[in-house]
Short mmCIF file of all heavy atoms in Angstrom, two decimals:
data_model
loop_
_atom_site.label_atom_id
_atom_site.label_comp_id
_atom_site.label_asym_id
_atom_site.label_seq_id
_atom_site.Cartn_x
_atom_site.Cartn_y
_atom_site.Cartn_z
N ARG A 34 -2.65 -3.01 -3.39
CA ARG A 34 -2.19 -4.11 -2.54
C ARG A 34 -0.83 -4.62 -3.01
O ARG A 34 0.06 -4.91 -2.21
CB ARG A 34 -3.21 -5.25 -2.53
CG ARG A 34 -4.44 -4.96 -1.69
CD ARG A 34 -5.42 -6.14 -1.74
NE ARG A 34 -6.59 -5.90 -0.91
CZ ARG A 34 -6.65 -6.11 0.40
NH1 ARG A 34 -5.60 -6.56 1.06
NH2 ARG A 34 -7.76 -5.86 1.07
N SER A 35 -0.63 -4.71 -4.31
CA SER A 35 0.65 -5.19 -4.83
C SER A 35 1.76 -4.17 -4.58
O SER A 35 2.91 -4.55 -4.36
CB SER A 35 0.55 -5.55 -6.32
OG SER A 35 0.36 -4.40 -7.11
N ARG A 36 1.42 -2.89 -4.59
CA ARG A 36 2.43 -1.86 -4.26
C ARG A 36 2.82 -1.96 -2.79
O ARG A 36 3.99 -1.83 -2.44
CB ARG A 36 1.90 -0.47 -4.60
CG ARG A 36 1.91 -0.18 -6.10
CD ARG A 36 1.22 1.13 -6.45
NE ARG A 36 1.71 2.26 -5.72
CZ ARG A 36 2.76 3.02 -6.08
NH1 ARG A 36 3.43 2.74 -7.19
NH2 ARG A 36 3.12 4.05 -5.34
N TYR A 37 1.85 -2.17 -1.90
CA TYR A 37 2.17 -2.35 -0.49
C TYR A 37 3.08 -3.57 -0.32
O TYR A 37 4.11 -3.51 0.35
CB TYR A 37 0.89 -2.52 0.35
CG TYR A 37 1.22 -2.92 1.78
CD1 TYR A 37 1.58 -1.97 2.71
CD2 TYR A 37 1.21 -4.26 2.17
CE1 TYR A 37 1.93 -2.33 4.01
CE2 TYR A 37 1.56 -4.64 3.45
CZ TYR A 37 1.91 -3.66 4.38
OH TYR A 37 2.27 -4.04 5.65
N THR A 38 2.71 -4.68 -0.94
CA THR A 38 3.51 -5.89 -0.84
C THR A 38 4.91 -5.66 -1.41
O THR A 38 5.89 -6.18 -0.86
CB THR A 38 2.80 -7.07 -1.55
OG1 THR A 38 1.55 -7.29 -0.89
CG2 THR A 38 3.63 -8.34 -1.53
N ALA A 39 5.03 -4.87 -2.46
CA ALA A 39 6.34 -4.54 -3.01
C ALA A 39 7.17 -3.78 -1.97
O ALA A 39 8.39 -3.98 -1.88
CB ALA A 39 6.18 -3.71 -4.29
N HIS A 40 6.54 -2.92 -1.18
CA HIS A 40 7.26 -2.25 -0.10
C HIS A 40 7.77 -3.28 0.91
O HIS A 40 8.92 -3.22 1.33
CB HIS A 40 6.35 -1.23 0.60
CG HIS A 40 6.27 0.09 -0.08
ND1 HIS A 40 5.55 0.30 -1.22
CD2 HIS A 40 6.84 1.28 0.24
CE1 HIS A 40 5.66 1.57 -1.58
NE2 HIS A 40 6.45 2.18 -0.71
N VAL A 41 6.92 -4.20 1.29
CA VAL A 41 7.30 -5.22 2.27
C VAL A 41 8.47 -6.06 1.75
O VAL A 41 9.40 -6.37 2.48
CB VAL A 41 6.10 -6.13 2.62
CG1 VAL A 41 6.52 -7.31 3.49
CG2 VAL A 41 5.01 -5.33 3.33
N LEU A 42 8.43 -6.40 0.48
CA LEU A 42 9.43 -7.29 -0.11
C LEU A 42 10.64 -6.57 -0.68
O LEU A 42 11.58 -7.20 -1.17
CB LEU A 42 8.78 -8.15 -1.21
CG LEU A 42 7.64 -9.05 -0.76
CD1 LEU A 42 7.05 -9.79 -1.96
CD2 LEU A 42 8.10 -10.02 0.32
N GLY A 43 10.64 -5.23 -0.64
CA GLY A 43 11.79 -4.46 -1.13
C GLY A 43 11.88 -4.35 -2.64
O GLY A 43 12.97 -4.20 -3.19
N LEU A 44 10.75 -4.39 -3.32
CA LEU A 44 10.73 -4.34 -4.79
C LEU A 44 10.64 -2.89 -5.27
O LEU A 44 9.60 -2.43 -5.77
CB LEU A 44 9.57 -5.17 -5.33
CG LEU A 44 9.52 -6.63 -4.87
CD1 LEU A 44 8.27 -7.32 -5.39
CD2 LEU A 44 10.78 -7.37 -5.29
N VAL A 45 11.74 -2.17 -5.14
CA VAL A 45 11.77 -0.74 -5.46
C VAL A 45 11.38 -0.47 -6.90
O VAL A 45 10.59 0.44 -7.19
CB VAL A 45 13.17 -0.14 -5.15
CG1 VAL A 45 13.26 1.31 -5.59
CG2 VAL A 45 13.50 -0.30 -3.68
N ASP A 46 11.92 -1.24 -7.84
CA ASP A 46 11.62 -1.00 -9.26
C ASP A 46 10.13 -1.15 -9.55
O ASP A 46 9.57 -0.37 -10.34
CB ASP A 46 12.43 -1.94 -10.16
CG ASP A 46 13.90 -1.57 -10.19
OD1 ASP A 46 14.24 -0.39 -9.95
OD2 ASP A 46 14.73 -2.46 -10.43
N PHE A 47 9.47 -2.13 -8.92
CA PHE A 47 8.03 -2.29 -9.13
C PHE A 47 7.28 -1.05 -8.64
O PHE A 47 6.38 -0.56 -9.33
CB PHE A 47 7.50 -3.54 -8.42
CG PHE A 47 6.02 -3.73 -8.62
CD1 PHE A 47 5.53 -4.33 -9.77
CD2 PHE A 47 5.11 -3.27 -7.68
CE1 PHE A 47 4.17 -4.49 -9.97
CE2 PHE A 47 3.74 -3.43 -7.86
CZ PHE A 47 3.27 -4.04 -9.02
N VAL A 48 7.64 -0.55 -7.48
CA VAL A 48 6.97 0.65 -6.95
C VAL A 48 7.16 1.81 -7.92
O VAL A 48 6.20 2.51 -8.28
CB VAL A 48 7.51 1.00 -5.54
CG1 VAL A 48 6.93 2.33 -5.06
CG2 VAL A 48 7.18 -0.11 -4.55
#
Side-chain angles (χ1 to χ4, degrees):
R34 285 180 178 277
S35 68
R36 285 172 53 87
Y37 171 82
T38 298
H40 277 75
V41 172
L42 300 177
L44 305 176
V45 175
D46 288 335
F47 180 82
V48 174

